[in-house]
Amino acid sequence: MINDETINLISEFEGFSETPYKCSGGYPTIGFGAIYGLDGNRIKMDHEPITREQAEDLLRRDTKISYNAVARLTQPYFHKLTENQVGALTSLTFNIGSGNFRASQIRSKITRGEIESAGKLFWQWRRAGGRIVKGLVRRRAKETELYFS
């Protein structure tokens, strides 16, 4: 279950744009950080504007995909995570992608049962394009706060 805190955190840091823009990682993005449109195709810079309602649909879709990746990739310990820990991990996965989450030390610690220490590693994911990004520093701090609340 994806809680409101998770949706609010993601939407706050992604922000809303009805037109395409390049995210800090350089990917064409729309709505609340969607890189795939409602039709399932990658967003391109010439994508038609979308409504806030369409952006919210994309956010729900993409958050569910990230949540499912967290559930799958944190076995056998997923059931031991709190709702807020799952939310923080979902926000992280939404932002960095499931492949990066799969390769992360955070996931490795969780799958070894080191749930508490895993939450202290969000800071490692504060770079985009090889440089530290203030917005990612703030986001990782909020995710860490959610993880431990």
Side-chain angles (χ1 to χ4, degrees), residues 2-69:
I2 302 165
N3 62 21
D4 289 342
E5 289 83 358
T6 302
I7 296 294
N8 292 340
L9 192 154
I10 293 170
S11 61
E12 172 189 343
F13 282 96
E14 294 294 339
F16 169 68
S17 178
E18 66 184 22
T19 58
Y21 63 95
K22 287 202 176 183
C23 69
S24 59
Y27 299 103
T29 308
I30 201 164
F32 293 102
I35 59 173
Y36 291 95
L38 291 166
D39 60 3
N41 293 320
R42 287 290 295 238
I43 298 296
K44 295 182 178 164
M45 292 307 292
D46 63 353
H47 193 282
E48 292 290 319
I50 62 171
T51 66
R52 189 169 189 92
E53 183 178 338
Q54 290 170 319
E56 289 169 357
D57 289 345
L58 291 170
L59 177 61
R60 280 189 290 278
R61 179 200 67 192
D62 293 346
T63 303
K64 183 174 179 151
I65 290 168
S66 296
Y67 172 90
N68 289 338

Side-chain angles (χ1 to χ4, degrees), residues 126-142:
R126 66 196 191 283
R127 293 181 185 272
R131 59 182 172 71
I132 294 175
V133 177
K134 288 180 187 179
L136 292 178
V137 171
R138 288 192 312 274
R139 183 175 185 153
R140 300 293 98 92
K142 285 282 196 178

Side-chain angles (χ1 to χ4, degrees), residues 6 12 20 26 63 90 98 102 124 130 133 143 147:
T6 302
E12 172 189 343
T63 303
T90 297
S98 60
R102 180 177 40 248
Q124 294 177 335
V133 177
E143 289 165 346
Y147 191 91

